[in-house]
Amino acid sequence: MRAGHLTLAAMPAAPAPWPVYLKLVGVAAIWGGTFVAGRIATAEMPAPTAALWRYVLACVVLVVAAFALERGLPRLSARQWLGVALLGATGVAAYNLCFMWGLKTVPAGRASLLVALNPAATLVGAALFFGERLTRRNVAGIVIALAGAAIVIGRGDPLALLRGGLGTGELTILGCVASWSAFTLVAKRLMAGLSPLAITVYASLTGTLMLAAATLLEDAAAVPQDASMPAWLALAFLGAFGTAVAFVWFNDGVRRLGAARAPVFINLVPVFAVAFGALLLGERIDASMVAGGALVLAGVYTLN
């Protein structure tokens, strides 16, 4: 799982033609682009407002997709309602508030390298809260990924973290990692019996209500009055493509390739985010991003 999209699937692998691989590369490119779109949107509106409109737009597309692809939404049990409420709180509300707040100050490429810690954080959470065993390979991957993140945050000096070098923006982006890991663990425990699309629709609907409440609590404008067309286009991209289209494509890849092979393509997300940040926003790619990012991706590859 990655920034701004909800997925949960485990289907039998099947032979896959090249178009499936191209779709998964497209998913990585779209999710890489969400970091750039988030920077554009949050430059002109409060973070809760940007997060809310992202999911208002996403919910419209997802509900249409649910009726088109699965002929509607299933009824939920009380346990499943509890599950989707927790998913909405973690994977939609908390994640996207942290995502938008963090991108106000952290460059898109640098933020994406920190969010790439998701698999490592999820493994740690599973070990701490559910007693799942960590192998030596798991531990090695986690250590490598964390070392890379320290280099990225410290801009080449990992020891800067010990001297208070962790800024508010970076800390907020790490909140994305914590909230997405919580989403993954909750989904694994509570959401058996529902399709990935149904889970995503229900979690998005409940999370959108929470984002609306957050917008009211911060006294932010529900509708940004002075936002430019590029800002609205960025929100449209985040909602329609970064959440809905990428979700459908990714889960088709999981169905065709299997739950072990398809997520490997998502390691390309920070690569695209760094490239798009440089090309579209003029962000500087420094040595700490290259070295730290390589370690983060090496750690994630080791985990997989």
Side-chain angles (χ1 to χ4, degrees):
M1 301 185 186
R2 290 298 182 275
H5 47 293
L6 305 172
T7 78
L8 208 249
M11 301 293 290
W18 276 103
V20 177
Y21 298 125
L22 293 177
K23 270 188 179 181
L24 288 171
V25 173
V27 170
I30 289 171
W31 283 340
T34 61
F35 290 88
V36 172
R39 286 282 285 177
I40 294 171
T42 55
E44 299 189 27
M45 62 189 74
T49 303
L52 173 62
W53 276 97
R54 171 186 185 169
Y55 266 88
V56 167
L57 297 170
C59 284
V60 172
V61 178
L62 286 168
V63 169
V64 170
F67 279 86
L69 300 176
E70 299 185 355
R71 299 181 181 179
L73 294 167
R75 292 185 178 181
L76 301 184
S77 66
R79 177 182 173 84
Q80 288 171 328
W81 273 116
L82 172 63
V84 296
L86 291 172
L87 294 180
T90 54
V92 176
Y95 179 93
N96 282 279
L97 287 172
C98 289
F99 183 77
M100 296 299 184
W101 272 321
L103 285 174
K104 277 187 170 292
T105 56
V106 180
R110 194 174 295 277
S112 71
L113 294 173
L114 298 180
V115 173
L117 287 172
N118 278 341
T122 302
L123 273 179
V124 172
L128 289 176
F129 296 108
F130 299 129
E132 295 190 11
R133 179 174 171 270
L134 291 176
T135 66
R136 291 182 179 178
R137 184 183 183 91
N138 294 153
V139 173
I142 291 168
V143 170
I144 293 170
L146 289 176
I151 292 173
V152 172
I153 295 171
R155 289 171 170 75
D157 180 11
L159 297 180
L161 299 183
L162 301 178
R163 301 190 296 270
L166 182 61
T168 303
E170 286 87 356
L171 186 61
T172 308
I173 291 296
L174 291 177
C176 292
V177 177
S179 57
W180 195 259
S181 299
F183 167 86
T184 306
L185 296 172
V186 170
K188 181 178 180 180
R189 294 285 169 166
L190 295 181
M191 302 313 295
L194 290 177
S195 72
L197 182 54
I199 292 171
T200 302
V201 173
Y202 276 120
S204 296
L205 290 171
T206 56
T208 300
L209 292 176
M210 297 174 193
L211 288 172
T215 303
L216 290 174
L217 288 173
E218 192 169 287
D219 199 24
V223 179
Q225 301 296 326
D226 301 322
S228 65
M229 182 57 69
W232 279 109
L233 290 175
L235 287 178
F237 173 81
L238 283 165
F241 289 91
T243 305
V245 172
F247 157 80
V248 174
W249 284 4
F250 180 70
N251 279 284
D252 179 61
V254 171
R255 180 179 62 84
R256 302 289 295 275
L257 297 180
R261 292 171 62 196
V264 173
F265 286 83
I266 307 309
N267 291 331
L268 294 172
V269 169
V271 177
F272 280 111
V274 170
F276 291 155
L279 291 173
L280 301 177
L281 301 178
E283 293 180 355
R284 180 170 169 265
I285 302 175
D286 57 32
S288 68
M289 289 177 63
V290 175
L295 282 176
V296 170
L297 295 179
V300 172
Y301 178 82
T302 302
L303 292 176
N304 289 333

